[in-house]
Amino acid sequence: MRDIATMTISVATRTFRVHETNEAVMSTSAAVRRSFSLPSARVLVGTVYGVCVLGFIAVFVADILFNDKDPHRSEGPIESMIGVSVVGTTALVIGVGSALWLIRTPERARVGAIVLGALSVLTLVVFWSGAPGLLGGCAAWLAGLTRGGRPLGGAARTAGIVGAFIALLNIVLTAGGVIVAAIEL
């Protein structure tokens, strides 16, 4: 038997109270619950746009400046800059515009998270444009997974988790591609 009184654990800004009694306590292995917090929606979506769209455009500009190849060649840097900027910026406008409109109520946010999460999966075909990451980041925002959000449950939460994964994966893959392209110049 253990005789333990009430104890208070303070972590960051939250306070938890743990009540223990004089009853026999069975010892079992408790699963360790690890969690992390995504940055705010502005930071997440801004980082995806900066790395996946602006980063690629910077590589194409460097290709034009430091290469002797024709920039107007088929699938050259000028064509690629136009493609990445148009598709990436369109995804940014659609994602952020719809998220700002849908975030007002939890019901709308739930539907928006599912729709944008599905769109982030469907746009994986054009991963080079940053569209999947931008739409996935907006899905995570609507699902309340970003800092300061209202967490939703069910399918919206699942879509937000998938969207956040796609956003972070898109950043990693694009950053790797930008580094490899810069090394090859």
Side-chain angles (χ1 to χ4, degrees), residues 87-150:
V87 176
T89 303
T90 301
L92 177 72
V93 169
I94 290 170
V96 172
S98 63
L100 286 172
W101 184 64
L102 295 170
I103 197 78
R104 295 178 184 158
T105 65
E107 294 79 22
R108 285 182 175 181
R110 183 177 318 279
V111 171
I114 294 167
V115 169
L116 289 177
L119 284 175
S120 72
V121 172
L122 292 175
T123 56
L124 282 172
V125 177
V126 290
F127 73 93
W128 45 265
S129 68
L134 291 165
L135 296 171
C138 290
W141 173 22
L142 286 173
L145 301 179
T146 57
R147 184 165 288 138
R150 293 184 297 233

Side-chain angles (χ1 to χ4, degrees), residues 48-61 84 174 178:
V48 172
Y49 188 77
V51 171
C52 297
V53 177
L54 300 179
F56 260 154
I57 291 173
V59 168
F60 296 135
V61 168
V84 168
T174 303
V178 167

Side-chain angles (χ1 to χ4, degrees), residues 7-43:
M7 104 181 129
T8 302
I9 302 170
S10 179
V11 179
T13 59
R14 297 183 183 181
T15 302
F16 302 95
R17 293 199 179 273
V18 178
H19 299 284
E20 295 193 23
T21 63
N22 291 336
E23 297 175 8
V25 178
M26 293 178 44
S27 100
T28 60
S29 61
V32 176
R33 184 175 175 186
R34 295 181 186 185
S35 66
F36 66 96
S37 177
L38 290 174
S40 69
R42 290 179 189 172
V43 173

